Amino acid sequence: KTPPLSRQLSFTALLLAVVVCRATQDYGYKDVEEPTLGDSQYGSLWPLPQKVQMSTVAFKLSGVSFQIVDAKESSSGASCSLLQNAYRRYDEYIFPISRMQGQNKKKAFASVSELQVWITSADSECDNYPSVTSDESCECPGMMFVFLVGALSQVPINRTEIQDFPRFTHRGLLLDSSRHFLPIKVILANLEAMAWNKFNVFHWHIVDDPSFPYMSRTFPQLSQQGAYHPYTHVYTPSDVKMIIEFARLRGIRVVSEFDTPGHTQSWGKGQKDLLTPCYSGASPSGSFGPVNPILNTTYDFMAMFFKEVSTVFPDAYIHLGGDEVDFSCWKSNPDIQKFMAQQGFGTDYSKLESFYIQRLLDIVTTTNKGYMIWQEVIDNGVKLKSNTVVHVWMGNKFEEELQKVTEAGFTTILSAPWYLDYISYGQDWQKYYKVEPLSFNGTDAQKKLVVGGEACLWGEYVDATNLTPRLWPRASAVGERLWSDKDVKDTNDAYSRLIQHRCRMVQRGIPAEPLFTGYCAHEYKGV
């Protein structure tokens, strides 16, 4: 029986603890080239809970009789599809073999074993979407399972006491579906892996310069003209809905990003006059730059488009981008120059960017959504609303940027040290693992404004063939850094746990790349 759980979102954390407390030999990793590091006292737990005490006392779960049920005192029950769905998933994770073999309780020699899940919150939130205020904490003061020796397909499990909660509330993963289209099955597989690594935000960079795969009901020509293919390389409304629901059942928010005014070349293919015509001397060059910020039609379009987006994506936030705006095209355009003079902007094109961003923020505000922006928006002096979330991503001086942004009073998320598209030889996961997000100079109040971070895998060099192995288990290092206590930083201990966690992901169907030489025990099925 479990102790009180505050909300349904904590269930994933609890069941993950059940699964990963299994005896380490099940997911053992044999290093045949180098001396094996000592086993971690925490077995294969990943990410490491805030408080965990593992005993050498072992119990066994029967693969034919064990079940996960609602406690009588729980505020949720059989009608909570979110929990029932999770029960089935984790049952299959714990007992993949015995369930597939079709064994049933009639064959069991053991008494029925069960895990009772107790949701103590008056509102179990079973039908809600996860949010920034969702409580992900859980307790498990002692996993006590009744069993008798002799049951088929038994799984050893250590008696373990756990109190757990995330260090940061925003633990995100960015995937880019514009530079290469990502099939739905790839997105779903990585959402599954995100849940195993306790990521709770899928930052969906859904469109960009190369392609516009989002199928808009209001402006269908955007994907018809802007996608790589208008039928095969698009996300239909039903596709988007399915992905959001799949994520919801795993406690994951889906934050969409529609980046403007830059990174919009694919938008212009389907929306006439949206982009700025670039000039070469006195004549149009035939190329186009960022969104044209001086036309009223631009804002009419944005109002209609983001009204749709706000209804399609239920999360409280939309990522509005705002990064890497190239001013050269604006500077070349005589109409833009005239507008700049009329507005008194002089030659400071960051003021024109600010003009656009502020009007866009006013539009998004009418949809009752919050918004995130990349750091250049604040770096360029754009006046922002106080509740804007600033996303720090640039360079090696992210500590200085965090200090500046939080000093200005803005909520902040960090990605700068976690760009997983930069690859190198060796175990680069350690570099990501050693990052301390709050290492910047600032007051306690400033550091509380850093609500988390995101690992980013941009799509220039990854598609369905290599995205998943490049992502995992490197992203797992970021997952533990954002979940576990700041003092959890022993890379030797982390290596011992991560190699087993990686094997667990592989056994569940995620082709996570190896950390070093060796093999997973399950590859030989005990031979």
Side-chain angles (χ1 to χ4, degrees):
K1 180 177 179 180
T2 68
L5 298 180
S6 49
R7 293 173 189 259
Q8 92 281 3
L9 289 177
S10 62
F11 176 75
T12 298
L14 172 69
L15 267 294
L16 184 60
V18 174
V19 177
V20 299
C21 287
R22 292 175 55 174
T24 57
Q25 60 263 32
D26 282 349
Y27 294 114
Y29 186 90
K30 308 303 182 185
D31 190 333
V32 297
E33 296 292 335
E34 295 287 335
T36 303
L37 292 173
D39 291 336
S40 170
Q41 63 176 312
Y42 303 113
S44 60
L45 277 169
W46 196 277
L48 194 67
Q50 298 292 332
K51 295 181 181 180
V52 56
Q53 184 174 352
M54 298 182 72
S55 167
T56 56
V57 177
F59 299 91
K60 290 185 179 180
L61 308 183
S62 168
V64 295
S65 62
F66 176 77
Q67 59 182 343
I68 307 168
V69 299
D70 299 297
K72 293 181 179 179
E73 303 90 341
S74 180
S75 61
S76 66
S79 62
C80 180
S81 60
L82 186 149
L83 278 179
Q84 303 305 319
N85 185 291
Y87 295 169
R88 289 190 293 271
R89 286 201 315 276
Y90 277 85
D91 182 274
E92 293 174 0
Y93 294 157
I94 300 171
F95 305 105
I97 299 176
S98 61
R99 302 308 198 204
M100 288 188 295
Q101 289 175 342
Q103 297 169 354
N104 55 56
K105 293 180 182 179
K106 292 181 180 180
K107 295 182 180 180
F109 297 100
S111 59
V112 175
S113 302
E114 65 182 25
L115 170 68
Q116 295 185 11
V117 177
W118 182 3
I119 307 297
T120 60
S121 173
D123 181 6
S124 64
E125 301 185 359
C126 280
D127 299 320
N128 294 0
Y129 290 96
S131 71
V132 293
T133 60
S134 295
D135 186 341
E136 297 174 281
S137 62
C138 71
E139 290 185 35
C140 190
M143 298 181 193
M144 298 290 293
F145 300 98
V146 180
F147 71 96
L148 293 176
V149 177
L152 297 172
S153 302
Q154 292 179 338
V155 173
I157 182 170
N158 297 97
R159 176 171 178 171
T160 305
E161 298 180 5
I162 289 176
Q163 291 181 330
D164 207 8
F165 54 87
R167 180 185 178 195
F168 293 101
T169 57
H170 186 113
R171 306 178 306 283
L173 178 64
L174 178 149
L175 296 181
D176 169 8
S177 61
S178 173
R179 291 172 174 87
H180 285 99
F181 180 80
L182 300 178
I184 294 173
K185 65 179 182 180
V186 172
I187 294 177
L188 297 184
N190 281 281
L191 285 169
E192 195 79 81
M194 285 175 65
W196 301 339
N197 290 273
K198 295 188 181 177
F199 284 96
N200 66 347
V201 179
F202 171 35
H203 178 167
W204 194 356
H205 190 87
I206 191 168
V207 300
D208 206 296
D209 282 331
S211 74
F212 196 104
Y214 170 74
M215 183 182 288
S216 167
R217 282 195 173 101
T218 309
F219 300 99
Q221 71 275 12
L222 290 173
S223 61
Q224 288 174 359
Q225 301 297 321
Y228 286 134
H229 190 282
Y231 304 117
T232 62
H233 286 56
V234 294
Y235 302 106
T236 68
S238 60
D239 293 336
V240 173
K241 185 176 181 180
M242 178 178 64
I243 288 169
I244 292 172
E245 178 63 10
F246 190 91
R248 183 187 79 87
L249 291 173
R250 288 152 182 81
I252 298 172
R253 299 164 51 202
V254 178
V255 176
S256 61
E257 180 183 356
F258 291 91
D259 190 358
T260 67
H263 290 277
T264 49
Q265 290 299 300
S266 65
W267 301 51
K269 295 177 181 178
Q271 187 64 23
K272 185 180 179 182
D273 297 328
L274 180 64
L275 303 184
T276 303
C278 304
Y279 277 69
S280 177
S283 304
S285 66
S287 61
F288 294 87
V291 166
N292 193 331
I294 70 173
L295 300 180
N296 288 331
T297 54
T298 293
Y299 301 102
D300 293 339
F301 165 81
M302 292 297 175
M304 296 177 65
F305 181 75
F306 279 102
K307 181 180 180 181
E308 174 190 320
V309 168
S310 69
T311 61
V312 171
F313 293 91
D315 195 79
Y317 284 85
I318 300 174
H319 203 301
L320 299 176
D323 64 316
E324 299 179 321
V325 181
D326 185 353
F327 294 157
S328 59
C329 185
W330 283 350
K331 291 178 180 179
S332 74
N333 186 292
D335 294 327
I336 298 285
Q337 295 169 6
K338 182 179 179 180
F339 183 84
M340 292 280 289
Q342 292 173 343
Q343 296 293 321
F345 292 164
T347 58
D348 186 355
Y349 284 84
S350 66
K351 291 182 178 179
L352 182 60
E353 178 189 18
S354 179
F355 175 86
Y356 169 81
I357 292 292
Q358 288 173 16
R359 290 198 62 175
L360 181 63
L361 296 185
D362 289 339
I363 288 171
V364 174
T365 298
T366 65
T367 68
N368 295 318
K369 294 286 189 180
Y371 31 79
M372 304 177 185
I373 50 91
W374 295 109
Q375 70 177 73
E376 288 101 315
V377 178
I378 191 172
D379 291 344
N380 291 340
V382 176
K383 294 180 181 179
L384 298 172
K385 299 179 186 297
S386 60
N387 60 345
T388 302
V389 178
V390 179
H391 197 162
V392 173
W393 72 276
M394 295 181 70
N396 297 321
K397 297 182 179 180
F398 68 85
E399 294 93 346
E400 295 178 10
E401 186 73 17
L402 288 174
Q403 180 181 0
K404 180 181 74 173
V405 173
T406 56
E407 194 171 37
F410 293 108
T411 300
T412 310
I413 55 177
L414 175 66
S415 282
W418 295 316
Y419 266 42
L420 304 188
D421 45 303
Y422 293 129
I423 59 175
S424 59
Y425 182 80
Q427 299 189 44
D428 61 354
W429 69 271
Q430 296 186 23
K431 175 178 64 177
Y432 307 131
Y433 189 79
K434 292 176 181 178
V435 172
E436 170 45 55
L438 303 185
S439 62
F440 65 96
N441 293 323
T443 64
D444 289 343
Q446 283 179 254
K447 295 188 176 184
K448 288 181 180 178
L449 289 172
V450 180
V451 295
E454 292 183 359
C456 300
L457 187 60
W458 296 97
E460 288 89 348
Y461 302 103
V462 292
D463 63 7
T465 65
N466 66 340
L467 180 143
T468 305
R470 184 164 295 182
L471 189 58
W472 307 105
R474 297 161 76 229
S476 302
V478 184
E480 177 153 297
R481 180 54 53 233
L482 294 173
W483 179 277
S484 303
D485 187 83
K486 64 179 181 179
D487 292 328
V488 176
K489 52 189 177 183
D490 184 336
T491 54
N492 287 341
D493 183 83
Y495 177 78
S496 176
R497 292 182 289 111
L498 187 55
I499 56 175
Q500 296 178 73
H501 181 56
R502 178 258 170 180
C503 287
R504 180 165 50 237
M505 288 193 285
V506 171
Q507 189 172 21
R508 293 180 184 175
I510 294 296
E513 67 180 17
L515 278 74
F516 194 54
T517 56
Y519 65 92
C520 296
H522 76 267
E523 297 172 14
Y524 300 95
K525 303 190 187 318
V527 176

